[in-house]
Amino acid sequence: MKRTKLVYANRDEDIKEKVKMTMKKYHITEEDLIEIRYSEKDSTKNALIIYNSR
């Protein structure tokens, strides 16, 4: 089953580092990972992590 996690970061924060921390926190492995979509709107950066759950 596909699952998603949405990660937010402010302008001065590193969104890729926050994605790594979130993947570690929720035990999302590289092999379960389907896609990471990045977007930026105003002063907020977003990343949508799409992965397969076990």
Side-chain angles (χ1 to χ4, degrees):
M1 178 181 356
K2 285 185 182 177
R3 300 270 179 150
T4 60
K5 292 285 180 203
L6 187 59
V7 181
Y8 295 98
N10 293 325
R11 184 182 311 165
D12 58 337
E13 294 176 309
D14 184 16
I15 188 71
K16 292 189 180 194
E17 188 61 39
K18 283 217 166 193
V19 167
K20 285 182 187 178
M21 289 172 37
T22 302
M23 288 177 64
K24 186 174 182 179
K25 179 179 178 181
Y26 291 101
H27 308 289
I28 302 169
T29 62
E30 289 291 328
E31 70 179 36
D32 293 334
L33 189 63
I34 297 172
E35 181 182 3
I36 300 175
R37 296 180 187 171
Y38 294 98
S39 67
E40 187 171 342
K41 187 170 185 176
D42 300 327
S43 63
T44 306
K45 299 174 191 174
N46 301 319
L48 181 65
I49 304 170
I50 304 169
Y51 64 99
N52 284 319
S53 65
R54 292 186 176 205

